[in-house]
Amino acid sequence: MNKPLRRVAVFCGLLVLALLLRVNYVQFVQADQLSNDTHNRRVAINQYAQPRGDIVVDGKAVTGHTETNGSDFKYKRTYTDGPMWAPVTGHASQAYGTSFLEGVEDKFLTGDDDRLFFNRTIDLLTGKQRQGGNVVTTLNAKAQTAAFKGLGDKKGAVVALDPRTGAILAMASTPSYDPSGIAGYSNTDEKNWVALDKKNDPDDPSLNRALRQTYPPGSTFKLVTAAAALESGKVTDVDASTTSPDPYTLPGTTVPLKNEGHIQCKDTSLRNALRQSCNTVFGKLGVDVGLKGMVDEAEKFGFNKEQLIPVRADASNFDTKMSPDQVAQSSIGQFDTAATPLQMAMVASAIANNGVLMQPYEVDKLVAPNLSTISQTDPKELSKPLSPENAQKLQSMMETVVNDGTGKNAKIPGVRVGGKTGTAQHGINNDKAPYAWFVSYAMTDQGSPVAVAVVVEDGAANRDDISGGGLAAPIAQSVMEAVLNK
Amino acid sequence: MSASNTTTITSIGAPNRRNTELALLVFAVLIPVFAYANVGLAKNGSVPAGLLGYGVGLGLLAAVAHLLVRKFAPYADPLMLPIATLLNGLGLVLIWRLDQEPSLGAAMAPKQLMWSTVGVLLFIGVLVFLKDHRILQRYTYISMVLALALLVAPVFFPGVNGAKIWVTLPGIGSLQPGEFAKIVITVFFAGYLMVKRDALALASRRFMGLYLPRGRDLGPILVIWGISLLILVFETDLGTSLLFFGLFVIMLYVATERTSWIVFGLLLSAGGAVFVSTFEHHVKERVDNWLHPLALAPNGGVTETAQAMYAFGSGGIFGSGLGQGYSRLILGIAPKSDYILATVGEELGLAGLMAVLLLYGLLTERGIRTALAARDPFGKLLAIGLSGAFALQVFVVAGGVTGLIPLTGMTMPFMAQGGSSVIANWALVAILMRISDTARRPAPSPAPSPDAEATQVVRTQ
């Protein structure tokens, strides 16, 4: 019986070998994947085992932490002025993960980042608790407050940039939510989280309208069309008369493109067309520039591409395949054209910065727990949508809009302010309340320190009262004043 | 070897190696004691108050067992007792460690310590009262009846967690008769096969390249095995069914030395597996869990299977250290019983888990070695049956927990929480040691040969 016994011995040996191979596979090959799996609660336990680093605005932390008892997680995130800063900070929740800056810089905030390896090692040797690094933002607390207060109960978003660097100065989105309410693991947190769900709250307060919502830009897109007309040489003198009929029949169709209200647009100059927001002039200009020229110009301003600031912003859209009549509609910001508030702020900032578009960013630097700077963001040029001369021409046209046109509500005494209003219609047969847009910049002797885009979507307001100049321009004005320190 | 030595049996047998066993036992006690201190230091920053009691208790059990082995089974295999002690000791530490997590229910370690003591007492009892394993041969048919009774018993008691494998005795608690049935049915198989093995191997008809035995030889064994499988399927205790089936095939193969039994067995098991997994919802669910271990539960939560995989993955190569893992995330009593290996994997890491698996492998191979060394066919069959059952159980549990095969819900011998399991496995080791003692015991000296004296042979040994 010894021969089969030996074989059984080999068989049992193989069973053990199979087990050994399996545990090596699970604990060595698969280990990283399993230990970092999002459903592995140890990840979150580790994440909240020490206080997170802070997100800093103007030298003051807008985040904090408290110790919690009776849960796997020792520290809980707290937020100062949570709803106001939520579009910037996002949330760090023991139960529901992270978003926005909390998510993008998560490893740095928890102290897990490779760049903090040295600090971690020192902490380990000195027996100190591991600490997270701080994220210093470019935001301006006063501008953010002005934006958030300006939006008030209205639904909408504000983005303000420093055109010279691309630094984001304000980024507000309303209605907002308090990330403190979902930071923990309790039943209350769960209730708050469920309430935030779009299904339960049609206002979708956790949506970052500044980065993740695209709107038809309406007349504010005429800035891009004007830039394309200037860059392509279709228009050289902004005060010369353009050959444009009123109404303008969309090419290839019998549909007339009309102007809103009683304005004189026939053969008017580019400056006057922008001042009065003539659909006919810009529709025809877009067709004259042609699809390729329009697409090129729009993409130079940042359309059709996601922006990482470093939080991801949705791509704004300008169709690349259209018939001439669609190009005409797109050139006045209708049809499929859609832009995020960030995108329109970029348009204004490129014009204000004499034609140079800077890469927008919201993290100024990352600092280690011992306050040494680990990384610093250097302003970076993204593209040159305009020549300086053309940019200055456009500036003077935008200043006409504010001084003598639809944007009078944005005037700031003693400061050059340029702007453009927009009232974007949407819905089937334009039956929904239009969006009110205002994009603008302020200019001082040292160049332009601020460009703003404001969008207000207020379904409750009376349709006749909605206009970029009436609803959005005052908000832009207060944000610019906050930056200018007026 | 002297040329004049006319017999292969000499009075100089294998050294009894009792001192080796003693030295190994010292380690087998010290390692769990250090592990115990380690858990205390990691969890509370102090050496646990019960350390002395625990150390002395474990040491005392090991010492008494060792002394009685010296007296009643002096030639027994020296590795089995230390390995069993080490595994049982580590299991106790892990259960005590998991007791520190309030979410995992009542403290189980004291009870487990009591059951381990009963187990060691049974181990001693077997060695003291079972002078020769061949006595068991007399109880072949009684074993058959007993095994059936043990297997049927749980049917009359309510099921726990989907498996009807428990017998609840008032005042004593729950027993898992399957664990004992494993030993008893091995005794029956060994006794029966020893008698019938020639008939099974030779008196057979050739059919499609396979030797099929006569029904009257194979009949009783097939009936017993079939009934036990039916009962187990009815009780939805898959692990034990698999164990019994494997045991049956191994013993038949060893007894008859015919490979055709393995083919026969594999065919039967494949058929059975397909049949069961199609009709049993419980089984289907486990197969699904095995194929998609990380899939979320219907309610969106993380499944037990996934929690175990996360525990293993997070342990990595060196583990988080005893007391510093999060096995508590596998909720309920599972971490102390079915999933105790997950705690080993997480807190002792790949290194610790491999060490534990090798200990099981070593214990199995010592058992098979005993079967090889045994001189009587009954002893051989009994030893291979017990070792095979042990190895299969380890494989089914460890393979199930680590996701190698579908989970079947058996206990890890010696380590897992559960009285029946610990007691039965101590008894199993005791029988193996009794067989190895008989096998390694030197034969009595041959009678002095008158010729040898006359010719003055010089013994060279």
Side-chain angles (χ1 to χ4, degrees):
Chain A
M1 283 198 275
N2 282 354
K3 201 168 99 186
L5 277 178
R6 288 207 171 84
R7 288 197 180 143
V8 172
V10 170
F11 171 70
C12 290
L14 287 176
L15 289 186
V16 175
L17 185 69
L19 288 178
L20 291 178
L21 288 175
R22 175 65 188 177
V23 296
N24 271 280
Y25 180 71
V26 173
Q27 295 206 265
F28 183 69
V29 180
Q30 281 192 315
D32 271 354
Q33 183 205 335
L34 287 170
S35 61
N36 295 319
D37 193 292
T38 42
H39 292 113
N40 188 344
R41 192 141 172 219
R42 289 164 188 79
V43 176
I45 291 174
N46 203 24
Q47 220 169 4
Y48 295 100
Q50 67 281 323
R52 279 172 85 83
D54 282 317
I55 294 175
V56 179
V57 174
D58 279 351
K60 273 199 291 198
V62 295
T63 56
H65 56 82
T66 52
E67 263 190 71
T68 53
N69 305 317
S71 120
D72 288 338
F73 310 116
K74 198 156 166 217
Y75 291 94
K76 192 173 99 164
R77 193 57 139 175
T78 58
Y79 295 87
T80 324
D81 290 330
M84 181 166 93
W85 293 111
V88 178
T89 58
H91 62 260
S93 163
Q94 294 173 345
Y96 307 109
T98 56
S99 68
F100 302 145
L101 273 188
E102 293 273 31
V104 173
E105 300 296 352
D106 185 44
K107 282 205 155 187
F108 197 83
L109 289 164
T110 57
D112 208 23
D113 193 280
D114 287 339
R115 287 171 287 182
L116 292 173
F117 176 77
F118 185 69
N119 291 78
R120 255 197 330 264
T121 316
I122 297 285
D123 286 352
L124 192 72
L125 292 176
T126 54
K128 264 199 338 206
Q129 191 184 32
R130 194 172 83 178
Q131 283 181 289
N134 292 343
V135 174
V136 179
T137 67
T138 58
L139 280 109
N140 176 323
K142 275 206 256 164
Q144 180 79 2
T145 312
F148 188 66
K149 291 235 171 90
L151 286 170
D153 297 337
K154 298 183 279 283
K155 226 193 256 188
V158 174
V159 173
L161 297 171
D162 183 336
R164 298 165 298 183
T165 57
I168 290 176
L169 302 173
M171 186 162 69
S173 169
T174 52
S176 191
Y177 70 105
D178 189 355
S180 299
I182 54 167
Y185 210 88
S186 69
N187 291 337
T188 325
D189 293 291
E190 189 185 350
K191 260 207 332 249
N192 292 337
W193 175 259
V194 172
L196 278 180
D197 195 317
K198 202 178 171 182
K199 277 180 285 192
N200 302 320
D201 187 345
D203 285 344
D204 204 3
S206 57
L207 172 68
N208 184 342
R209 291 177 162 77
L211 301 180
R212 303 278 170 89
Q213 178 72 294
T214 59
Y215 300 91
S219 303
T220 57
F221 191 80
K222 288 168 183 164
L223 293 172
V224 178
T225 310
L230 289 167
E231 280 293 291
S232 66
K234 294 284 173 204
V235 176
T236 45
D237 183 356
V238 296
D239 291 311
S241 147
T242 56
T243 17
S244 33
D246 184 5
Y248 169 64
T249 309
L250 293 175
T253 70
T254 54
V255 181
L257 180 65
K258 293 180 197 151
N259 290 308
E260 292 280 320
H262 305 286
I263 49 176
Q264 288 304 312
C265 290
K266 189 171 189 301
D267 296 337
T268 192
S269 69
L270 192 61
R271 182 189 298 275
N272 196 43
L274 194 74
R275 185 181 71 82
Q276 300 189 103
S277 205
C278 293
N279 291 342
T280 48
V281 175
F282 284 97
K284 179 171 181 292
L285 263 181
V287 176
D288 290 349
V289 170
L291 177 64
K292 188 175 178 304
M294 285 302 295
V295 169
D296 282 355
E297 191 61 21
E299 289 186 351
K300 275 189 202 161
F301 275 112
F303 276 83
N304 292 345
K305 196 169 159 258
E306 286 184 345
Q307 304 292 335
L308 301 175
I309 62 160
V311 171
R312 182 186 59 81
D314 280 359
S316 300
N317 182 61
F318 188 81
D319 280 357
T320 53
K321 281 182 188 133
M322 288 186 284
S323 58
D325 61 309
Q326 292 168 337
V327 173
Q329 291 181 60
S330 295
S331 299
I332 58 165
Q334 300 289 346
F335 193 57
D336 279 346
T337 308
T340 59
L342 172 73
Q343 175 61 63
M344 292 320 293
M346 285 161 72
V347 170
S349 83
I351 296 165
N353 196 34
N354 291 331
V356 178
L357 175 59
M358 300 301 287
Q359 163 77 49
Y361 66 98
E362 62 175 332
V363 174
D364 178 32
K365 54 188 177 178
L366 302 175
V367 296
N370 64 7
L371 300 180
S372 63
T373 301
I374 300 289
S375 91
Q376 168 94 43
T377 313
D378 292 321
K380 218 171 66 191
E381 193 183 303
L382 198 64
S383 65
K384 283 198 178 83
L386 286 157
S387 69
E389 303 78 53
N390 284 339
Q392 274 151 15
K393 284 179 192 166
L394 207 39
Q395 285 168 16
S396 95
M397 285 160 65
M398 286 173 75
E399 280 155 32
T400 307
V401 171
V402 171
N403 292 329
D404 197 19
T406 53
K408 284 179 188 148
N409 281 341
K411 267 188 201 169
I412 303 174
V415 181
R416 281 170 60 198
V417 176
K420 178 74 195 85
T421 54
T423 309
Q425 292 162 345
H426 74 127
I428 300 159
N429 297 326
N430 300 332
D431 57 350
K432 291 189 184 158
Y435 298 124
W437 276 94
F438 193 74
V439 300
S440 67
Y441 65 87
M443 190 74 85
T444 65
D445 300 339
Q446 287 86 41
S448 167
V450 57
V452 193
V454 177
V455 63
V456 176
E457 37 168 320
D458 202 338
N462 182 348
R463 179 166 181 160
D464 294 338
D465 287 342
I466 293 175
S467 73
L471 269 176
I475 302 172
Q477 184 204 33
S478 64
V479 173
M480 289 188 292
E481 281 180 333
V483 176
L484 293 166
N485 226 349
K486 288 251 172 181
Chain B
M1 187 68 66
S2 152
S4 67
N5 202 343
T6 54
T7 171
T8 53
I9 302 168
T10 70
S11 59
I12 292 133
N16 71 13
R17 301 278 189 224
R18 289 277 69 81
N19 293 335
T20 311
E21 180 180 88
L22 181 61
L24 289 175
L25 266 178
V26 171
F27 281 108
V29 171
L30 276 182
I31 292 169
V33 167
F34 282 134
Y36 190 78
N38 188 346
V39 174
L41 286 169
K43 294 285 310 174
N44 312 317
S46 60
V47 175
L51 183 70
L52 194 69
Y54 174 77
V56 169
L58 194 65
L60 217 60
L61 276 180
V64 171
H66 171 71
L67 287 175
L68 286 156
V69 168
R70 266 188 195 267
K71 170 126 181 61
F72 291 99
Y75 290 93
D77 188 288
L79 257 64
M80 290 182 186
L81 180 60
I83 292 175
T85 309
L86 177 54
L87 288 172
N88 199 348
L90 275 179
L92 280 167
V93 170
L94 289 172
I95 291 165
W96 180 75
R97 176 259 170 280
L98 291 167
D99 282 348
Q100 312 300 305
E101 309 286 353
S103 61
L104 298 183
M108 295 286 184
K111 245 187 170 167
Q112 182 73 357
L113 186 60
M114 186 196 84
W115 290 122
S116 305
T117 311
V118 174
V120 174
L121 290 179
L122 186 61
F123 169 87
I124 291 166
V126 169
L127 287 182
V128 171
F129 295 107
L130 186 68
K131 295 280 183 214
D132 188 335
H133 62 267
R134 276 165 293 192
I135 297 168
L136 290 174
Q137 211 174 326
R138 289 180 210 154
Y139 303 110
T140 300
Y141 290 94
I142 292 177
S143 302
M144 180 185 94
V145 175
L146 186 59
L148 275 182
L150 284 172
L151 286 169
V152 175
V155 175
F156 305 106
F157 294 88
V160 180
N161 302 329
K164 284 172 84 90
I165 52 174
W166 301 90
V167 166
T168 321
L169 299 178
I172 296 182
S174 301
L175 277 178
Q176 237 177 312
E179 290 282 346
F180 298 98
K182 173 176 81 181
I183 298 175
V184 178
I185 211 161
T186 310
V187 172
F188 162 66
F189 281 166
Y192 186 83
L193 287 172
M194 191 206 68
V195 178
K196 297 281 185 179
R197 66 195 194 99
D198 288 338
L200 282 168
L202 303 172
S204 53
R205 284 165 297 154
R206 212 178 140 86
F207 176 73
M208 285 175 66
L210 289 178
Y211 292 94
L212 293 183
R214 291 181 304 188
R216 63 174 148 156
D217 299 321
L218 192 60
I221 205 164
L222 214 53
V223 166
I224 297 300
W225 169 76
I227 290 173
S228 61
L229 276 200
L230 276 180
I231 290 166
L232 292 170
V233 168
F234 187 61
E235 291 166 4
T236 63
D237 182 8
L238 249 180
T240 317
S241 329
L242 198 73
L243 173 70
F244 278 36
F245 189 81
L247 178 66
F248 171 68
V249 171
I250 288 178
M251 290 185 75
L252 261 180
Y253 170 60
V254 171
T256 60
E257 302 194 30
R258 283 207 182 276
T259 324
S260 52
W261 285 113
I262 296 185
V263 179
F264 199 53
L266 285 179
L267 283 177
L268 269 177
S269 69
V274 170
F275 176 82
V276 171
S277 55
T278 325
F279 289 96
E280 271 290 338
H281 169 71
H282 187 68
V283 178
K284 219 167 132 348
E285 195 181 297
R286 289 199 158 160
V287 172
D288 282 345
N289 280 342
W290 168 61
L291 292 173
H292 312 285
L294 301 185
L296 293 179
N299 64 3
V302 180
T303 60
E304 233 174 39
T305 335
Q307 290 288 19
M309 294 310 283
Y310 293 146
F312 282 114
S314 302
I317 297 179
F318 298 112
S320 60
L322 273 171
Q324 291 171 295
Y326 296 96
S327 315
R328 64 163 179 267
L329 296 177
I330 313 168
L331 280 176
I333 192 168
K336 297 180 191 174
S337 54
D338 298 26
Y339 281 110
I340 197 150
L341 270 189
T343 305
V344 176
E346 178 172 8
E347 304 202 342
L348 298 175
L350 176 60
L353 185 54
M354 290 211 291
V356 166
L357 290 175
L358 285 173
L359 283 176
Y360 281 110
L362 197 56
L363 190 53
T364 308
E365 297 294 330
R366 293 310 289 190
I368 298 176
R369 214 183 145 82
T370 298
L372 276 167
R375 301 193 190 100
D376 64 304
F378 176 75
K380 272 184 184 303
L381 281 170
L382 189 56
I384 194 65
L386 294 175
S387 322
F390 189 83
L392 282 174
Q393 183 161 357
V394 168
F395 178 75
V396 167
V397 183
V401 174
T402 58
L404 181 60
I405 55 170
L407 191 73
T408 50
M410 270 199 297
T411 52
M412 204 66 201
F414 293 115
M415 282 190 118
Q417 188 273 327
S420 330
S421 170
V422 167
I423 296 172
N425 283 304
W426 272 112
L428 184 148
V429 166
I431 298 172
L432 279 177
M433 282 186 74
R434 165 55 65 220
I435 301 171
S436 79
D437 175 54
T438 315
R440 288 160 49 92
R441 188 190 297 273
S445 300
S449 157
D451 294 345
E453 256 168 43
T455 50
Q456 286 295 302
V457 170
V458 179
R459 293 185 73 108
T460 55
Q461 282 183 11

